[in-house]
Amino acid sequence: MLKLFRWGGLTTLIEREIYRFTNVITQTVIAPVISSSLFIFIFGFALGKSIETMGGVPYLVYIVPGLMALYLIESSYNNSSSSLFLSRWSNYIQELLVTPLAYMDLVIAIIVGCLVRGIVVLLGVYCVASCFANIPISNFFLLVYFVLTIVVIFSCIGIVAALISEKFEHMAMFSSFVITPFVYLGGVFTSLSIVPPLMAKITRMNPFFYMVDGVRYAMLGSSDSPILINFTLVTVMAVVLFTTVVWLFKIGYKIRS
Amino acid sequence: MSIALSITNFTKYYGSFKAVDDLCLEIHEGEFFGFLGPNGAGKSSTLHSITGLSNFHHGEIRVFGYDVKANYKQSRSMIGLAPQEINFDPFLNAEQILFYTGGYYGLSRKVAKERAEELLRQFNLLDSRKLGYKKLSGGMKRRLLIARALVHEPKILILDEPTAGVDLELRYQLWDYLKKLNQKGVTILLTTHYIEEAERLCGRIGIINHGKLIACEEKETLIQQMNRDTLLIQVRESIQTLPEKIQKYDVTLQEDGKHLVFREEKSTLNDILKAIQSENIFIERIELDPATLEDVFAHLTKANIDTGGR
Ligand SMILES: Nc1ncnc2c1ncn2[C@@H]1O[C@H](COP(=O)(O)OP(=O)(O)OP(=O)(O)O)[C@@H](O)[C@H]1O
Ligand SMILES: [Mg+2]
């Protein structure tokens, strides 16, 4: 008779999630690394010569943490939303629902898939940037913590988007009207100290700013906002979103008829 | 014998629409149970609630004693479902679909590989193992669907219209396979619109209509209870109007005026013949068609419409 290793089921599902994105690796990993290289080249290398320094470091070095946060956010959101949306769309989600996998397992597998993809993309961005400058990591553990929480936050947002959306368009709309503008206006390219006061004020209301800023602190050792605030904010967001998503799966929102 | 599946006072709503109404059903271990009903009767809704695809808030469903909500891990690991709708993983090929499903049920990699291999062979899918499901033919998809339901060697196999769109040869093969599986002790719950299929395979039959279970008996009992055979009498000279003595039976006169079709209980056979003789009608040929499950099904689901289902 069959044994009930919860762990076994979960690892298989994680494996499947990783297989899914590696299957379309040009789109999921190579494309973001290439586009980040363009940013690094244009802003950091070509244009950066005229900006000299920002926040006390060369401009190229200044934008790398921001770009890393940006691509981590995009890849987490895209990964979880498209994975789950396709599962719903093809009814494949039903194959999982009839197995003994817990709803918690389903959520964790998606998040771990996002984490793996995010780390691969991050390493890509980091390597490209390292070709042009020496990129410091001042607090490795803090960096790991921010990477983890950002992945949790955005894979959960992606899950919610995939549950709400009834068409691919809905998800794309959410991505281009919410995620992208907020993230790009979240201080990826500029320090708050050099933007007009109104702009700085608006940026401070943008939750994405604290994530970008947190990653920047972990790497460069300095940030616009106190690290404690960044830390607390991402932690609260991650916990709230994760709990919400687990609850949605538990009640079977849009996945159980 | 233990009870494989027990459903008590199960009611399923979609919003305010009641799809299944106070269903009670027990299926014993080793049974081959046929769950029949017209389109939209509530069959799939019931099966989905057993397997975790649907939420329900009224009634209780247990699989070998395990509540499908409270102990869903145990209950689901004992069930294999071949659903009505195709729901394969769009990123995997046939072989991977079986292998990964094995993993989801907690099989080790080695066992899952072996099971996948074995099922591909049994279901004649070895040549298509590397194809994604979109490249499989309709019949292949059905086979893969059933194979997938069997990866973890479930104790109960639930088949929601497994032979829809399947050619005759494959259907016979599947029937054979299912019979053998059942003989090995696997409890099978089958839903189908091919009444013949149920008649050949199933021991007990439940008929659901408009969400209500309207019959649940041994197949033979059901047919006997119906007790309405079809009696065809061919006469030499065509009859214009039926004599009164004959009219009182459930009879139709065919257009040529030479064929009388009675749908009556066996016990009236003698009286019918007497009545015909007394009218001096010359009988050329008599044919007696025993009732089939199909007749029972038609009779019961029709009667239910007459008495106003929903
Ligand atoms: N997800 C759903 N939302 C709303 N109504 C539904 C849903 N699924 C089924 N129904 C309704 O519930 C009723 C029973 O449907 P069900 O799928 O259980 O029928 P069935 O007996 O399996 O029919 P068929 O033989 O056509 O497969 C139908 O009236 C159907 O329209
Ligand atoms: Mg159905």
Side-chain angles (χ1 to χ4, degrees):
Chain A
M1 232 350 256
L2 110 124
K3 281 177 239 124
L4 266 182
F5 284 129
R6 191 184 109 103
W7 184 238
L10 179 59
T11 42
T12 309
L13 193 54
I14 290 172
E15 193 182 322
R16 184 265 172 195
E17 281 296 314
I18 294 171
Y19 178 83
R20 191 198 73 84
F21 82 75
T22 49
N23 210 14
V24 276
I25 195 154
T26 17
Q27 185 194 331
T28 54
V29 175
I30 299 179
V33 171
I34 289 181
S35 77
S36 75
S37 324
L38 290 176
F39 274 122
I40 289 168
F41 183 76
I42 296 169
F43 286 94
F45 198 64
L47 199 71
K49 295 245 158 62
S50 59
I51 302 183
E52 305 262 326
T53 65
M54 189 170 300
V57 292
Y59 187 57
L60 172 64
V61 176
Y62 184 83
I63 65 164
V64 169
L67 284 175
M68 284 172 62
L70 175 75
Y71 283 98
L72 190 62
I73 287 172
E74 282 203 336
S75 87
S76 298
Y77 174 80
N78 288 340
N79 196 62
S80 70
S81 62
S82 58
S83 172
L84 181 61
F85 188 77
L86 280 168
S87 297
R88 278 184 63 213
W89 197 65
S90 64
N91 274 334
Y92 156 69
I93 188 84
Q94 297 189 345
E95 177 178 342
L96 299 178
L97 292 178
V98 303
T99 67
L101 287 167
Y103 43 84
M104 185 74 125
D105 294 343
L106 306 188
V107 177
I108 290 176
I110 293 178
I111 293 178
V112 174
C114 292
L115 185 64
V116 174
R117 174 167 156 184
I119 289 174
V120 174
V121 171
L122 278 195
L123 287 177
V125 176
Y126 187 81
C127 289
V128 170
S130 298
C131 298
F132 297 95
N134 188 18
I135 313 292
I137 295 179
S138 85
N139 189 333
F140 183 74
F141 290 103
L142 208 53
L143 180 62
V144 169
Y145 184 80
F146 272 99
V147 166
L148 199 70
T149 42
I150 289 175
V151 167
V152 170
I153 291 168
F154 284 92
S155 40
C156 288
I157 293 179
I159 289 174
V160 173
L163 290 178
I164 294 172
S165 302
E166 290 305 330
K167 293 189 231 163
F168 278 102
E169 276 173 358
H170 296 163
M171 286 201 313
M173 256 165 60
F174 193 75
S175 166
S176 38
F177 293 118
V178 182
I179 305 279
T180 312
F182 271 94
V183 172
Y184 278 76
L185 298 174
V188 172
F189 299 106
T190 45
S191 164
L192 285 195
S193 56
I194 64 151
V195 298
L198 179 66
M199 174 86 175
K201 214 170 177 177
I202 293 173
T203 307
R204 281 188 188 279
M205 287 191 284
N206 182 348
F208 297 67
F209 161 71
Y210 298 91
M211 301 172 201
V212 174
D213 205 47
V215 174
R216 187 163 284 141
Y217 179 87
M219 294 183 73
L220 307 183
S222 67
S223 58
D224 285 340
S225 160
I227 185 64
L228 203 62
I229 292 185
N230 300 347
F231 187 90
T232 315
L233 209 80
V234 292
T235 308
V236 170
M237 280 179 78
V239 170
V240 169
L241 280 162
F242 181 76
T243 320
T244 309
V245 163
V246 170
W247 175 73
L248 287 174
F249 268 68
K250 185 176 177 184
I251 62 165
Y253 175 72
K254 294 267 191 103
I255 54 176
R256 261 186 253 275
S257 57
Chain B
M1 230 181 343
S2 56
I3 292 167
L5 177 69
S6 87
I7 301 176
T8 13
N9 303 115
F10 164 66
T11 299
K12 168 72 189 164
Y13 286 94
Y14 292 107
S16 61
F17 170 64
K18 200 190 265 181
V20 182
D21 187 1
D22 201 30
L23 179 75
C24 292
L25 185 66
E26 263 184 10
I27 298 178
H28 293 269
E29 184 169 13
E31 266 199 271
F32 203 135
F33 189 89
F35 194 40
L36 309 182
N39 284 133
K43 304 180 295 296
S44 299
S45 301
T46 307
L47 303 186
H48 289 178
S49 300
I50 300 171
T51 49
L53 294 180
S54 277
N55 287 327
F56 63 97
H57 307 288
H58 306 272
E60 191 186 65
I61 303 180
R62 287 177 179 275
V63 175
F64 285 100
Y66 292 110
D67 187 283
V68 299
K69 284 196 216 165
N71 304 313
Y72 68 91
K73 282 182 195 172
Q74 287 89 338
S75 76
R76 286 184 204 160
S77 65
M78 288 192 248
I79 301 179
L81 170 74
Q84 184 173 0
E85 311 279 345
I86 304 290
N87 62 0
F88 294 120
D89 190 332
F91 290 94
L92 305 182
N93 63 34
E95 183 179 22
Q96 290 169 320
I97 285 172
L98 297 180
F99 173 72
Y100 277 87
T101 303
Y104 302 152
Y105 279 97
L107 303 184
S108 70
R109 299 181 73 88
K110 185 166 160 285
V111 176
K113 261 227 147 67
E114 285 166 6
R115 283 296 291 161
E117 194 71 28
E118 190 181 331
L119 287 163
L120 285 172
R121 190 172 44 71
Q122 284 177 4
F123 283 87
N124 218 346
L125 288 165
L126 281 173
D127 293 338
S128 345
R129 62 195 302 161
K130 296 289 176 209
L131 297 181
Y133 84 88
K134 284 183 189 132
K135 292 188 179 156
L136 299 178
S137 78
M140 288 171 175
K141 283 182 201 153
R142 284 281 153 208
R143 276 183 275 163
L144 186 60
L145 219 48
I146 300 173
R148 190 186 66 185
L150 291 168
V151 168
H152 59 295
E153 304 193 288
K155 294 176 88 173
I156 306 181
L157 178 63
I158 298 182
L159 302 163
D160 198 349
E161 301 189 25
T163 55
V166 158
D167 73 21
L168 219 57
E169 196 191 329
L170 177 56
R171 190 172 303 159
Y172 289 142
Q173 283 174 6
L174 281 177
W175 287 354
D176 252 13
Y177 187 89
L178 294 177
K179 263 189 215 157
K180 284 192 190 122
L181 204 64
N182 182 238
Q183 276 157 13
K184 280 188 211 154
V186 177
T187 310
I188 301 182
L189 173 50
L190 169 79
T191 283
T192 181
H193 287 293
Y194 298 103
I195 310 294
E196 190 200 342
E197 184 166 282
E199 187 157 13
R200 288 208 188 190
L201 296 173
C202 301
R204 227 152 45 98
I205 305 276
I207 298 179
I208 184 171
N209 198 13
H210 300 302
K212 285 204 174 74
L213 194 68
I214 52 174
C216 184
E217 296 283 356
E218 290 293 329
K219 174 177 62 192
E220 286 79 17
T221 321
L222 212 54
I223 295 172
Q224 268 164 27
Q225 268 182 2
M226 159 110 171
N227 200 8
R228 277 174 161 247
D229 295 338
T230 308
L231 176 69
L232 179 98
I233 296 180
Q234 191 184 344
V235 297
R236 187 184 287 167
E237 269 135 43
S238 68
I239 304 169
Q240 301 307 318
T241 43
L242 282 172
E244 228 166 85
K245 272 186 195 166
I246 299 177
Q247 249 178 19
K248 70 176 186 190
Y249 298 103
D250 180 355
V251 59
T252 44
L253 180 65
Q254 287 187 352
E255 269 177 32
D256 60 2
K258 286 188 177 176
H259 291 85
L260 294 162
V261 184
F262 291 87
R263 297 178 64 81
E264 279 293 349
E265 295 179 12
K266 278 202 186 76
S267 55
T268 57
L269 218 63
N270 212 24
D271 299 335
I272 292 173
L273 290 179
K274 267 189 199 154
I276 294 176
Q277 295 237 295
S278 69
E279 293 290 333
N280 281 325
I281 296 172
F282 191 91
I283 299 176
E284 282 217 313
R285 199 163 63 93
I286 295 183
E287 237 176 68
L288 187 67
D289 261 343
T292 60
L293 190 57
E294 188 117 27
D295 298 325
V296 178
F297 183 77
H299 178 69
L300 285 178
T301 49
K302 185 168 158 287
N304 206 253
I305 290 172
D306 294 344
T307 58
R310 113 174 139 218

